[in-house]
Amino acid sequence: MGLYATPLNLNETLPRNGFFWWIQDKSRPISELGDQLPKGAYQSLGLYGNIVLVIPEYNVVAVRMLNQTDRNPPQYDYIKDIQTFGNLVCKCVLSQE
C-alpha cells in the first residue's frame, strides 16, 4: 500500500488518503482536491472548514482559516467549495511564474 491508507480495491472515482491527509495521485471526480492540483499535492480538512493544502511541486503551503459555527445553507456544495480553494491556489501560484 505504500503511503496510502486507502484500500487498494476502492472505487476509482473516490479520493485517496494517507495518514489523515487527502492525496492527489490523479484527478478524481469526487475528491476534495481540485482537478488543477498536480500529482503529489495533499491536504487536511478541519471540522469547521479550515484547510491546509501542500503542493510540493510548487513549494507552496496554503491555509484557509474559518470559524464557521452555523450550518451551511441547503444549496452549499462542500466538495465544490474545497476543490475551488485548491484550484484558486494553483491559479495564483501559476500566475506568479
Side-chain angles (χ1 to χ4, degrees):
M1 281 200 335
L3 295 177
Y4 299 107
T6 301
L8 295 176
N9 61 349
L10 187 67
N11 182 308
E12 278 296 308
T13 63
L14 297 173
R16 301 305 190 250
N17 66 52
F19 305 105
F20 302 106
W21 291 84
W22 295 106
I23 300 168
Q24 182 80 323
D25 62 338
K26 68 179 185 177
S27 182
R28 296 177 188 275
I30 304 176
S31 174
E32 286 87 346
L33 290 150
D35 60 359
Q36 304 298 308
L37 290 169
K39 183 176 180 177
Y42 54 97
Q43 71 183 3
S44 183
L45 307 173
L47 178 62
Y48 294 107
N50 4 351
I51 304 170
V52 175
L53 171 64
V54 180
I55 312 173
E57 183 175 320
Y58 304 146
N59 294 316
V60 167
V61 175
V63 177
R64 179 174 93 169
M65 296 300 299
L66 183 63
N67 270 338
Q68 179 178 342
T69 56
D70 295 329
R71 289 178 170 247
N72 290 318
Q75 69 278 12
Y76 174 72
D77 185 339
Y78 168 78
I79 297 291
K80 183 174 173 118
D81 178 50
I82 302 299
Q83 289 174 341
T84 299
F85 173 76
N87 288 338
L88 284 172
V89 170
C90 276
K91 183 177 179 179
C92 290
V93 169
L94 294 174
S95 71
Q96 299 300 310
E97 292 184 339

